[in-house]
């Protein structure tokens, strides 16, 4: 009699296991048998969908964009000025902010300064004003011309630490006009300095 109860228990357990298996297969799915690479047509559709979902770079330059730009331009201006005018005669922190042409020009000037044995000292007081003089779109590039007025304390010393220009105790007002540019096709929001007019 005990054997019959054992058989019933085994049958019940098997039924429960079968039920659980069917439920799991319904929830998790099962292999279709196709485990190969997706077709080229599917890959093309996937790429098109990804391109459509990518954020489009801003091409307009409205009041909000101009305010954001001026905030960034002030930071860029201070970074470039202090990097160019520090004592190591090398461009480090400002390199991503410069176009290739401007980087080459600045770098050549620093090499010349280093060759003469001169070093610069600078204390950047701050930007008094930064005003957008002009902004326009040329082909796929936005170009913005900015008038900067800033205050610095700066001087150039020779290899004997003698002052050859500037004054380490006098605040000097500087007037600069710089042109920044950004490629509207790029998702990179950063602007680069492409020209200095003063």
């Amino acid at each position: 009699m005990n054997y019959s109860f054992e058989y019933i228990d085994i049958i019940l357990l098997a039924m429960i296991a079968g039920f659980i298996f069917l439920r799991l297969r319904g929830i998790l799915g099962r292999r279709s048998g196709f485990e190969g690479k997706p077709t080229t047509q599917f890959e093309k559709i996937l790429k098109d969908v990804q391109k459509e979902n990518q954020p489009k770079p801003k091409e307009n330059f409205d009041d909000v964009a101009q305010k954001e730009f001026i905030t960034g331009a002030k930071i860029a201006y201070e970074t470039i000025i202090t990097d160019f005018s520090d004592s190591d005669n090398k461009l480090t922190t400002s390199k991503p902010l410069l176009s290739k042409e401007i980087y080459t020009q600045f770098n050549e000037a620093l090499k010349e300064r280093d060759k003469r044995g001169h070093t610069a000292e600078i204390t950047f007081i701050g930007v008094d004003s930064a005003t957008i003089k002009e902004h326009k779109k040329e082909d796929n590039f936005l170009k913005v011309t900015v008038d900067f007025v800033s205050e610095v304390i700066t001087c150039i010393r020779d290899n004997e630490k003698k002052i050859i220009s500037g004054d380490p105790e006098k605040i000097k007002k500087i007037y600069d006009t710089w042109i920044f540019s950004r490629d509207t096709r790029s998702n990179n929001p950063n602007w680069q300095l492409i020209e200095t007019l003063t």
Side-chain angles (χ1 to χ4, degrees):
M1 195 72 176
N2 288 338
Y3 289 119
S4 62
F5 282 118
E6 287 178 7
Y7 288 131
I8 291 169
D9 289 344
I10 291 168
I11 291 168
L12 282 172
L13 286 171
M15 288 173 66
I16 291 168
F19 174 75
I20 291 170
F21 172 76
L22 289 172
R23 289 288 293 164
L24 283 172
R25 194 174 74 168
I27 293 168
L28 301 176
R30 57 182 177 177
R31 290 174 66 151
S32 64
F34 176 73
E35 299 295 328
K37 292 182 179 178
T39 63
T40 53
Q41 186 180 2
F42 176 76
E43 286 179 346
K44 184 178 181 301
I45 293 168
L46 186 62
K47 282 179 184 177
D48 291 342
V49 169
Q50 287 172 341
K51 281 180 184 176
E52 286 175 9
N53 290 334
Q54 281 181 349
K56 300 286 188 297
K58 287 184 178 179
E59 291 191 22
N60 61 326
F61 200 61
D62 55 17
D63 290 342
V64 174
Q66 289 183 34
K67 285 179 182 176
E68 289 176 358
F69 170 82
I70 284 295
T71 301
K74 287 179 180 178
I75 296 168
Y77 179 80
E78 180 178 352
T79 303
I80 293 166
I81 290 289
T82 52
D83 196 22
F84 182 79
S85 302
D86 61 13
S87 60
D88 65 359
N89 288 337
K90 291 179 183 176
L91 293 171
T92 52
T93 54
S94 65
K95 188 175 179 180
L97 304 172
L98 307 173
S99 68
K100 288 180 181 177
E101 294 78 11
I102 290 292
Y103 174 78
T104 302
Q105 288 175 23
F106 284 9
N107 205 35
E108 288 300 319
L110 289 175
K111 284 179 181 177
E112 187 62 33
R113 190 168 75 190
D114 193 54
K115 195 183 292 182
R116 291 195 301 265
H118 295 171
T119 54
E121 295 176 2
I122 184 168
T123 302
F124 194 90
I125 306 299
V127 178
D128 288 348
S129 66
T131 310
I132 294 174
K133 185 178 180 180
E134 181 185 33
H135 63 87
K136 59 185 175 180
K137 187 178 178 186
E138 292 181 1
D139 297 324
N140 293 305
F141 292 87
L142 277 175
K143 292 185 178 181
V144 184
T145 304
V146 184
D147 287 333
F148 291 100
V149 180
S150 63
E151 291 184 338
V152 299
I153 300 171
T154 184
C155 72
I156 304 290
R157 296 180 185 269
D158 63 16
N159 53 10
E160 294 178 355
K161 303 299 180 186
K162 291 179 181 176
I163 297 170
I164 57 174
S165 69
D167 187 336
E169 296 180 2
K170 185 179 180 182
I171 295 175
K172 182 181 178 182
K173 202 172 279 285
I174 298 176
Y175 299 87
D176 283 315
T177 301
W178 288 6
I179 300 176
F180 295 89
S181 178
R182 182 175 70 80
D183 188 345
T184 58
R185 297 166 299 180
S186 172
N187 287 321
N188 185 349
N190 294 334
W191 294 76
Q192 286 191 324
L193 175 64
I194 61 167
E195 193 174 348
T196 57
L197 302 179
T198 54

